[in-house]
Amino acid sequence: MESLVGRSQDVLVMEERRRRRRKIILSCFGGIAIAALILVVLVNQYINHRYNNYRVEQSISVKNSNTMQYQPYAGGVIKYSRDGVSAVNASGKDLWNGSYDMDHPEVDICGTSAVVADIGGKILYVYTEKEKGIEMAMDYKILQARISEQGVVAVMLEDTASNMIHVYDPYEDKLLVEIPTNVEKGYPVAMDISLDGTSVVVSYVCVTGGIVESRAAFYNFTNVGENTNCLVGAQEYKDRVVSEVQYLDDSRVCLFHEKGYSIWGNLKKPAEVAKQDFKKEIVSGFCATDYVGVVLADAGEEQGQMKVYNLKGKEVMSRKISTEYTHIAMSGKEILVNTATDCSVYLVNGVQKWKCSTKKKILHFFPAEGMNRYFLITDNGIEKIKLKNK
């Protein structure tokens, strides 16, 4: 039988082993915590890294560049004018092109689908990566045209008595839906079609007793709207005009008016999920899939307040910004701003990621495919650039 002394020694040995094990475990956890902290710091520094210069990775010569119009397209660029349109990828290779004769061409893009419509005319063309241009002739003058990812097109048309919305499947040359309007309902001024092509939101304006009123109407082309002529919801705006409508995804849409914005969700049974009203004038409104932004300023002010909100209406960023810009747009978690000589990139947390000046005349500034890469479009052509520090 083991003596009491022997048992005591065994207990001391086991206790020492436990202490060593606890020390090793604590050391491991401490090391993991320190490594995680270092990783968070490094990631935060990387995300919020500031740049002050750029390198040109690709130059694309464009004939009569300053007479062209440009739009970002599938990681590349669409360039168009009165006599034709073409899409180029990030390497400058032509994806597709088409010729036409339009007085006032206007482009709308969704994914890899694009529609070019002659505003005030009666012709539009639909382009995708596979289709080289489907021509469609309207019976009435075109006021607006919007396209879904699948290529379904919503067209706002002007009749002598009233305006109307037609929704087409260009591949079948088929009119899917006709949405008539009348004077009592108002005249449509803005619209958009969902990414999946199953719903349209239209803003109408009418004058009643000398007072301008606005109405947003929600249409759905699935079986939900079969018994209501596709109308599944509406909202009256008595003291404001909804001047811009933009889908954020298939189930949410943002309506901008001069006093603020509102976000609507569940578009088979529409409900307002967030809104913001402002005391100052909205100079610009912009949005992406997860955020809505505005620039606020009183008339004549050269400095404004840029604010960004999440889709629940919570403010995530507010900072001063000059109102003397030419374009402002949002892409993911970045806001791109340019004047004729300067470009800036802001993050949604308010960090100014990049600012740069150039002697060239800047026409547009778009995101490009790849980290820290952008298209800088000047009167000399298109440059694909990568941000760097001197």
Side-chain angles (χ1 to χ4, degrees):
M1 180 179 292
E2 187 178 8
S3 67
L4 293 176
V5 174
R7 291 181 182 179
S8 297
Q9 289 177 343
D10 290 341
V11 169
L12 290 173
V13 170
M14 291 177 64
E15 185 62 31
E16 180 63 24
R17 288 176 179 174
R18 290 194 190 98
R19 282 198 296 268
R20 290 178 181 175
R21 192 179 297 115
R22 284 197 297 269
K23 187 175 180 181
I24 292 171
I25 292 172
L26 290 174
S27 297
C28 289
F29 276 120
I32 293 171
I34 292 171
L37 180 61
I38 293 173
L39 180 61
V40 168
V41 170
L42 291 175
V43 169
N44 186 63
Q45 287 179 342
Y46 179 75
I47 292 174
N48 295 315
H49 188 76
R50 294 170 173 83
Y51 300 86
N52 56 25
N53 208 338
Y54 66 90
R55 180 179 75 250
V56 177
E57 291 190 329
Q58 182 80 26
S59 293
I60 305 169
S61 178
V62 179
K63 185 179 180 181
N64 299 323
S65 177
N66 56 356
T67 64
M68 288 279 185
Q69 297 293 320
Y70 301 86
Q71 293 271 17
Y73 172 79
V77 174
I78 279 182
K79 47 189 175 73
Y80 63 100
S81 65
R82 296 173 61 180
D83 55 9
V85 61
S86 64
V88 298
N89 63 15
S91 301
K93 180 183 177 182
D94 281 344
L95 298 174
W96 49 259
N97 60 74
S99 60
Y100 49 69
D101 183 14
M102 295 185 182
D103 289 330
H104 302 287
E106 184 179 278
V107 169
D108 186 57
I109 298 166
C110 188
T112 58
S113 296
V115 58
V116 187
D118 189 11
I119 305 304
K122 297 182 179 181
I123 298 294
L124 64 81
Y125 288 82
V126 174
Y127 297 90
T128 68
E129 286 183 317
K130 297 179 180 179
E131 296 290 344
K132 303 307 179 184
I134 300 175
E135 179 181 352
M136 300 185 67
M138 304 291 107
D139 294 327
Y140 305 96
K141 291 181 179 180
I142 300 170
L143 297 177
Q144 289 184 23
R146 300 291 182 263
I147 195 166
S148 71
E149 284 185 332
Q150 295 88 347
V152 175
V153 181
V155 189
M156 184 187 297
L157 300 168
E158 182 182 34
D159 193 4
T160 53
S162 64
N163 298 340
M164 64 195 75
I165 310 292
H166 284 183
V167 180
Y168 294 94
D169 180 349
Y171 309 110
E172 300 291 335
D173 193 19
K174 181 180 179 182
L175 175 62
L176 301 177
V177 181
E178 181 176 356
I179 304 171
T181 65
N182 52 56
V183 176
E184 289 76 20
K185 182 185 290 185
Y187 291 93
V189 295
M191 70 169 183
D192 199 10
I193 188 169
S194 62
L195 280 65
D196 62 6
T198 62
S199 64
V200 165
V201 178
V202 182
S203 166
Y204 297 90
V205 170
C206 64
V207 180
T208 305
I211 299 175
V212 179
E213 298 180 345
S214 190
R215 177 177 183 264
F218 302 84
Y219 301 94
N220 190 278
F221 313 134
T222 65
N223 56 3
V224 175
E226 285 181 351
N227 299 323
T228 58
N229 293 322
C230 300
L231 182 66
V232 293
Q235 176 67 33
E236 302 288 340
Y237 293 89
K238 295 293 185 182
D239 58 346
R240 58 200 68 189
V241 175
V242 176
S243 57
E244 186 176 347
V245 176
Q246 185 169 339
Y247 274 86
L248 305 172
D249 53 32
D250 286 332
S251 61
R252 289 172 294 191
V253 64
C254 184
L255 280 60
F256 287 100
H257 50 80
E258 73 273 24
K259 296 185 179 181
Y261 73 85
S262 61
I263 299 174
W264 288 73
N266 187 24
L267 297 180
K268 291 183 178 180
K269 190 177 180 181
E272 191 175 57
V273 296
K275 67 176 183 178
Q276 290 290 338
D277 286 341
F278 305 104
K279 294 181 179 179
K280 289 197 171 187
E281 177 186 347
I282 296 182
V283 179
S284 299
F286 48 89
C287 53
T289 304
D290 298 315
Y291 300 96
V292 175
V294 294
V295 176
L296 307 172
D298 288 328
E301 288 185 347
E302 294 183 359
Q303 284 288 318
Q305 196 75 21
M306 180 166 62
K307 292 179 176 289
V308 176
Y309 298 83
N310 65 21
L311 300 192
K312 294 182 179 180
K314 181 181 178 182
E315 183 181 298
V316 297
M317 185 263 275
S318 179
R319 65 164 293 154
K320 291 287 186 181
I321 185 176
S322 169
T323 59
E324 301 300 312
Y325 52 79
T326 307
H327 299 101
I328 184 168
M330 194 169 197
S331 176
K333 295 184 177 182
E334 296 184 341
I335 301 106
L336 281 64
V337 186
N338 74 272
T339 68
T341 57
D342 300 287
C343 289
S344 293
V345 178
Y346 297 92
L347 303 179
V348 292
N349 61 8
V351 171
Q352 187 176 34
K353 177 180 177 179
W354 178 60
K355 182 178 181 180
C356 193
S357 298
T358 175
K359 294 181 180 179
K360 304 172 185 177
K361 182 181 178 182
I362 300 171
L363 303 178
H364 291 280
F365 178 48
F366 298 139
E369 195 172 36
M371 183 68 70
N372 296 324
R373 288 172 170 84
Y374 303 87
F375 287 110
L376 186 61
I377 301 171
T378 71
D379 51 1
N380 292 335
I382 302 173
E383 293 179 341
K384 183 187 176 186
I385 66 172
K386 183 179 180 181
L387 305 189
K388 70 170 190 175
N389 288 316
K390 292 181 179 180

